[in-house]
Amino acid sequence: SCPFLPLRCGDPLRRQVQNDEKWLWGLVFTPLWVLDTILVLMLCIWPLLPVNVARGDPLSNCKWDWLFQALFFVLFQVTLCLKLDGADLSWTAVFGPLFAFQAVSTGRALHKIIPTQYEHWSKVKKPGSTCGNVGWAIYLLMQEALWWSLWLLVSMRLDRQMDMSWWVVLSPLFGICVFWFYASTRTAYALNNDPEEKAYEQAFSR
């Protein structure tokens, strides 16, 4: 009966789905809102932990870059919900908060390239930091370029500003996966002989 009459069975089903009560995407994203709230609260509470308060000014220990990235990602989810609910927004506008998120990430990458910062990352043998400051800069900036390319290509493809295959649009993601695979084969480890840091690590390892 029904399996052999897909058109006759499909049409009523399609009408039933279309006439069903419309759910707001904000309600569908409720689990994400819960996770976002927990994440933002953790970033706000982090400077107030006793171990950070003992070091001095709590605000100096605040992860402002992480906090801004978390807020921008939440804003991206909000614009995405508005778009899915029928708001007249271009996909470029929807991805705007994600571009701001990536701008903070690029700022962090540029900060890590500074020679004094590179000295720290080279001591812990961070993946990509063992080839000198120039190699470290190339390693970080190539990843940032791939992320920017991915978000721009996806937003432009969704806005029909170009007619590329999705294989081409998502090609930066393949490059990012290569970097992730490389990083997963390397293990960062500390080479610092500071007794205070060793005592700090031992206290947390117990």
Side-chain angles (χ1 to χ4, degrees), residues 1-201:
S1 57
C2 183
F4 301 100
L5 298 174
L7 294 179
R8 294 176 60 185
C9 293
D11 291 343
L13 179 60
R14 189 179 299 108
R15 287 196 298 268
Q16 181 179 358
V17 172
Q18 291 176 348
N19 295 331
D20 198 3
E21 183 179 357
K22 184 178 179 181
W23 281 35
L24 294 175
W25 279 98
L27 182 61
V28 176
F29 277 28
T30 299
L32 282 178
W33 306 137
V34 175
L35 292 176
D36 293 337
T37 302
I38 295 174
L39 176 61
V40 173
L41 287 177
M42 288 178 61
L43 291 173
C44 292
I45 294 173
W46 169 257
L48 302 178
L49 294 178
V51 66
N52 289 323
V53 172
R55 292 182 177 180
D57 183 11
L59 291 179
S60 63
N61 297 312
C62 185
K63 302 290 185 180
W64 293 106
D65 49 351
W66 292 3
L67 180 59
F68 282 129
Q69 282 188 300
L71 294 176
F72 284 137
F73 190 69
V74 172
L75 186 56
F76 165 69
Q77 295 173 26
V78 172
T79 56
L80 181 60
C81 287
L82 293 175
K83 176 66 175 180
L84 295 176
D85 281 332
D88 188 16
L89 294 173
S90 66
W91 282 103
T92 302
V94 172
F95 275 73
L98 207 54
F99 296 147
F101 173 96
Q102 198 60 45
V104 176
S105 177
T106 302
R108 290 174 57 191
L110 293 173
H111 182 257
K112 291 179 181 179
I113 295 173
I114 300 173
T116 55
Q117 291 296 317
Y118 167 72
E119 183 179 356
H120 164 72
W121 295 112
S122 62
K123 283 183 178 180
V124 298
K125 300 297 182 183
K126 191 73 172 177
S129 65
T130 57
C131 299
N133 203 344
V134 175
W136 173 242
I138 295 174
Y139 178 82
L140 293 177
L141 295 181
M142 281 186 64
Q143 293 183 72
E144 293 301 315
L146 288 172
W147 278 113
W148 278 106
S149 300
L150 177 64
W151 302 137
L152 288 171
L153 288 175
V154 169
S155 62
M156 293 175 66
R157 180 66 174 82
L158 291 173
D159 276 335
R160 301 183 183 276
Q161 296 180 8
M162 60 181 182
D163 188 18
M164 285 186 180
S165 168
W166 278 102
W167 287 99
V168 178
V169 173
L170 297 178
S171 58
L173 184 59
F174 305 145
I176 293 170
C177 290
V178 172
F179 278 99
W180 284 353
F181 177 78
Y182 170 78
S184 67
T185 62
R186 301 291 186 271
T187 302
Y189 58 92
L191 295 178
N192 197 341
N193 295 321
D194 188 348
E196 292 185 1
E197 290 193 7
K198 284 187 175 182
Y200 179 78
E201 292 175 0

